[in-house]
């Protein structure tokens, strides 16, 4: 199987390279330590015999953020050296900001091809590897098996698309997933999906979702007021948050803001797009309202109405100052959704569209707890956001339900660490 993968990798890489090269140029930031992708990871020092070296791969910003409690708790034991890698430029930026002191090394995951993977493995020489959620790299897993190094998949999930694809090649999927010594699954529905694929049930452990263990940003009322002042918002203004928005969703939120202001609500809009490089696309959408773009002018003018936070790694802090949030990639032609967990953890009432397929079970659980609102059209999104903005009691009830829901789902990190210790 691995030789077939290696043979097919070359033409597939050649065909896909223009697309990924264009995307990297558009998003920017990929030049920094690009050599890591080619296997030129700095060789680590001799291992401390009293510690086990864990190589954890967290693909992007969401996973990098989510793994923080896990990394901190493992480091606190004094028994592990953590090497943390990521794939995206935004993820790497966050690694350098938040993890350098908490890890033995941080870097970029290599291209999953024999020479690059081998070089990185030789440089890191881990005692175990850990992948997150849906990441399954054949060459990476082959290197682990060849070297007798245990591999573990944590926070594992199978989206509708992934499950559909793997079902068509179930024999190959079984061979691939069975290379993990343990698969820590985030929810019961996905556990059943792994079982339906024929994955060895002894490898499957239901641990829950570690994203519930990432603490909400706890800031004082004075800090909230200071952040709002930086945005040009009054401390008593109603702040509507567009959380990880995608194309089309910003226009819907601008329309909502205008409607609320017409109704006498001092509504201010805080936009945090999923991809900061979309700023030039968003600027015309917000042009007819007083606005400020964070990377151009951090301090907004007084009485600003729209603040475009085109940065990475600040969403959790911005969420804490909001009164109501819309979670993106969930309306129009977008599918998959972005995580509603941060908003719920902060007790900020959350609204999202119907296309939350990557968070299907989380959203279902939220709705059963009366801790969120699902909408099916942009028009319904506007009417729901307006309704919630005008009804403080309704928002307070949702907020209370969110906090209870979030607390009841915590604890996955501890269970995951127990399983990591067992494989070593």
């Amino acid at each position: 199987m691995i030789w077939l993968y290696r043979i097919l990798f070359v033409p597939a890489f050649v065909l896909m390279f223009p697309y990924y090269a264009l995307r990297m140029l558009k998003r920017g930031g990929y030049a920094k330590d690009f050599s890591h992708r080619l296997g030129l990871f700095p060789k680590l020092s001799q291992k401390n015999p009293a510690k086990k070296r864990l190589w954890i791969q967290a693909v992007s910003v969401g996973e990098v953020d989510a793994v923080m409690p896990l990394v901190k708790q493992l480091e606190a034991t004094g028994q592990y050296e953590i090497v943390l890698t990521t794939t995206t430029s935004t993820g790497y930026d966050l690694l350098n900001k938040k993890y350098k002191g908490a890890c033995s090394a941080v870097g970029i995951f290599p291209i999953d091809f024999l020479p690059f993977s081998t070089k990185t493995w030789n440089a890191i020489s881990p005692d175990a590897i850990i992948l997150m959620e849906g990441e399954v790299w054949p060459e990476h897993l082959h290197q682990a098996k060849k070297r007798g190094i245990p591999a573990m998949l944590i926070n594992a999930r199978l989206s509708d698309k992934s499950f559909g694809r793997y079902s068509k090649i179930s024999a190959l999927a079984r061979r691939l997933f069975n290379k993990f010594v343990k698969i820590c699954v985030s929810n019961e529905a996905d556990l059943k999906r792994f079982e339906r694929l024929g994955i060895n049930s002894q490898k499957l452990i239901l641990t829950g979702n570690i994203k519930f263990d990432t603490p909400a940003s706890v800031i004082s009322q004075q800090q909230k007021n200071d952040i709002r002042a930086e945005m040009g918002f009054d401390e008593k203004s109603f702040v509507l948050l567009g959380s990880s928005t995608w194309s089309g969703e910003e226009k819907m939120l601008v329309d909502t803001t205008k409607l609320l202001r017409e109704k006498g609500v001092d509504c201010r809009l805080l936009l945090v797009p999923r991809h900061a490089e979309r700023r030039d696309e968003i600027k015309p959408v917000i042009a007819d309202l007083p606005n400020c773009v964070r990377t151009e002018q951090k301090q907004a003018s007084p009485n600003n109405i729209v603040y475009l936070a085109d940065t990475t790694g600040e969403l959790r802090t911005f969420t804490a100052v909001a009164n109501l949030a819309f979670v993106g990639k969930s309306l129009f032609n977008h599918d998959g959704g972005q995580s509603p967990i941060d908003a719920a953890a902060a007790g900020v009432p959350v609204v999202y569209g119907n296309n939350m397929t990557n968070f299907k079970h989380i959203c279902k659980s939220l709705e059963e707890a009366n801790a969120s609102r699902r909408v099916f059209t942009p028009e319904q999104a506007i009417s729901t956001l307006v309704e919630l903005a005008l009804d403080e009691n309704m928002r307070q009830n949702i907020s209370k339900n969110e906090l209870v829901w979030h607390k009841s789902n915590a604890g996955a990190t501890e269970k995951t660490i127990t399983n990591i210790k067992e494989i070593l």
Side-chain angles (χ1 to χ4, degrees), residues 75-90:
E75 281 284 345
T77 66
Q79 300 172 9
Y80 305 97
E81 291 179 19
I82 309 296
V83 178
L84 187 56
T85 58
T86 188
T87 303
T88 66
S89 60
T90 49

Side-chain angles (χ1 to χ4, degrees), residues 248 252 256 331-332 375-385:
M252 180 272 291
T256 304
L331 278 178
F332 300 94
V375 295
F376 295 84
T377 65
E379 294 75 23
Q380 190 184 5
I382 292 173
S383 64
T384 301
L385 289 166

Side-chain angles (χ1 to χ4, degrees), residues 8 49 76 80 87 98 110 121 128-129 133 144 151 174 249 267 322 354:
L8 293 176
Y80 305 97
T87 303
K98 293 191 174 183
W121 267 85
I129 62 166
E133 301 200 347
R174 281 194 296 275
E249 293 169 338
C267 182
N354 193 42

Side-chain angles (χ1 to χ4, degrees), residues 96 120 282:
N96 282 294
T120 307
I282 298 170

Side-chain angles (χ1 to χ4, degrees), residues 185-211:
V185 189
S186 61
N187 63 75
E188 195 167 343
D190 281 334
L191 181 72
K192 290 177 181 177
R193 283 184 165 183
F194 279 109
E195 289 174 343
R196 285 168 62 187
L197 286 177
I199 310 305
N200 185 342
S201 61
Q202 293 183 341
K203 297 176 183 283
L204 301 172
I205 304 102
L206 182 63
T207 55
N209 193 325
I210 66 172
K211 290 184 176 179

Side-chain angles (χ1 to χ4, degrees), residues 172-244:
L172 290 175
R174 281 194 296 275
R175 288 189 63 179
L176 198 57
F177 281 108
N178 280 327
K179 288 185 178 181
F180 290 105
V181 295
K182 285 194 178 190
I183 299 176
C184 295
V185 189
S186 61
N187 63 75
E188 195 167 343
D190 281 334
L191 181 72
K192 290 177 181 177
R193 283 184 165 183
F194 279 109
E195 289 174 343
R196 285 168 62 187
L197 286 177
I199 310 305
N200 185 342
S201 61
Q202 293 183 341
K203 297 176 183 283
L204 301 172
I205 304 102
L206 182 63
T207 55
N209 193 325
I210 66 172
K211 290 184 176 179
F212 287 105
D213 295 331
T214 304
S217 183
V218 180
I219 58 177
S220 67
Q221 187 60 50
Q222 184 57 52
Q223 287 173 309
K224 287 183 183 181
N225 293 342
D226 291 344
I227 294 170
R228 285 182 171 217
E230 185 175 78
M231 297 175 181
F233 298 169
D234 188 83
E235 60 187 58
K236 294 181 181 178
S237 297
F238 183 89
V239 178
L240 173 61
L241 168 69
S243 178
S244 298

